[in-house]
Amino acid sequence: MKLLAPSILSADFYVLGEQISACIRGGADLLHFDVMDGHFVPNITFGPVVLESIKKHCSIPLDAHLMIENVDKYIPDFIKAGADMVSIHVENNHHIHRSLELIKSLGAKAGVVINPATPLSALEEVLLYVDFVLLMSVNPGFGGQKFITRSIERLKKLKSMVLGINPKVLIEIDGGINESNIVEVAQAGADILVVGSGIFASQDIEAQTRKLKNLLISSEAL
Ligand code: DX5
Ligand code: ZN
């Protein structure tokens, strides 16, 4: 089953709870949190306290995408706050095996993230140790960017790598996904589709989430 993961980065934080509830009513499968520290990426967002508040009211899994330095220092805080999935960048870590094992030892699913210009070969070894891979289809740091079309080729190649090395690994894709490309992206091999502005820019978040979820369901039948 293809999973839809709204990214709250594009939400209106004044009414965050209402908007998350609308996503859940519309069929969101998990919630994606873009954690940025102003060092690894040129933007600052939020920390574990935000996940902790949401976790108390929300039954779907929380997916923390860490775009921060010193991941080992903060991984325990995010899992304690309620993250069910935690992903870290392959570009950002000299001891990625240790960080992935840390995530798993604390009971969360471990993911590795790869930026658009990083060769997929950087994942070869690491695929043995992860539950999921997050393929970036924009450069990380901001919502609302344009999908990098080359990502479709990368996704297909990644899918075949995963099948060859560790078929249990799920593929998540993140950046520039919206109603016009979600079916193509799902069919190219993505299992989890992150959508930020493609949901939260809508006047009716519940209806937009449902529309995207239905497109994903229809893509499975094609
Ligand atoms: C970018 C983030 C994405 C982003 C997606 O650094 O990882 O999750 O918020 O937003 P859209 O769907 O607007 O590209
Ligand atoms: Zn993200």
Side-chain angles (χ1 to χ4, degrees):
M1 197 176 87
K2 308 278 182 193
L3 304 175
L4 180 62
S7 161
I8 67 156
L9 181 61
S10 297
D12 177 349
F13 281 67
Y14 187 61
V15 285
L16 183 58
E18 284 169 32
Q19 295 198 340
I20 289 173
S21 298
C23 289
I24 293 172
R25 288 195 304 275
D29 297 291
L30 38 105
L31 278 183
H32 185 83
F33 291 80
D34 288 305
V35 179
M36 306 184 189
D37 67 351
H39 293 278
F40 179 62
V41 288
N43 194 8
I44 298 176
T45 56
F46 42 75
V49 66
V50 174
L51 279 84
E52 193 178 357
S53 296
I54 293 168
K55 187 75 178 177
K56 289 183 190 138
H57 303 278
C58 173
S59 52
I60 61 174
L62 308 187
D63 169 30
H65 172 192
L66 302 186
M67 289 161 272
I68 60 174
E69 292 182 356
N70 297 322
V71 284
D72 290 357
K73 184 171 172 205
Y74 297 104
I75 283 167
D77 296 344
F78 280 96
I79 296 175
K80 200 162 159 237
D84 301 279
M85 298 163 65
V86 176
S87 56
I88 55 176
H89 275 256
V90 71
E91 298 86 3
N92 187 22
N93 202 313
H94 297 298
H95 306 284
I96 197 146
H97 176 268
R98 179 158 60 206
S99 307
L100 293 167
E101 292 302 313
L102 174 63
I103 295 169
K104 289 189 276 186
S105 75
L106 296 171
K109 300 282 184 206
V112 65
V113 192
I114 185 160
N115 281 337
T118 304
L120 292 176
S121 56
L123 295 175
E124 251 169 43
E125 195 63 29
V126 93
L127 280 177
L128 294 167
Y129 308 111
V130 295
D131 299 297
F132 65 103
V133 177
L134 173 45
L135 183 76
M136 291 305 300
S137 41
V138 297
N139 289 295
F142 302 94
Q145 302 180 78
K146 193 174 173 303
F147 184 83
I148 298 171
T149 50
R150 158 94 182 136
S151 308
I152 295 283
E153 292 314 307
R154 282 168 61 81
L155 184 51
K156 289 179 181 164
K157 200 168 156 199
L158 175 60
K159 180 77 185 172
S160 75
M161 274 175 73
V162 162
L163 289 175
I165 297 174
N166 186 358
K168 291 191 304 288
V169 168
L170 295 180
I171 300 178
E172 181 172 22
I173 186 159
D174 185 4
I177 296 164
N178 54 45
E179 63 187 72
S180 68
N181 60 10
I182 194 166
V183 169
E184 186 190 6
V185 175
Q187 286 180 329
D191 303 295
I192 305 171
L193 294 98
V194 176
V195 182
S197 51
I199 287 177
F200 291 97
S202 167
Q203 290 304 309
D204 187 338
I205 288 168
E206 180 180 341
Q208 184 65 11
T209 306
R210 187 169 295 116
K211 185 177 190 180
L212 292 169
K213 180 68 190 172
N214 285 338
L215 283 170
L216 283 184
I217 292 168
S218 69
S219 79
E220 291 176 80
L222 293 173

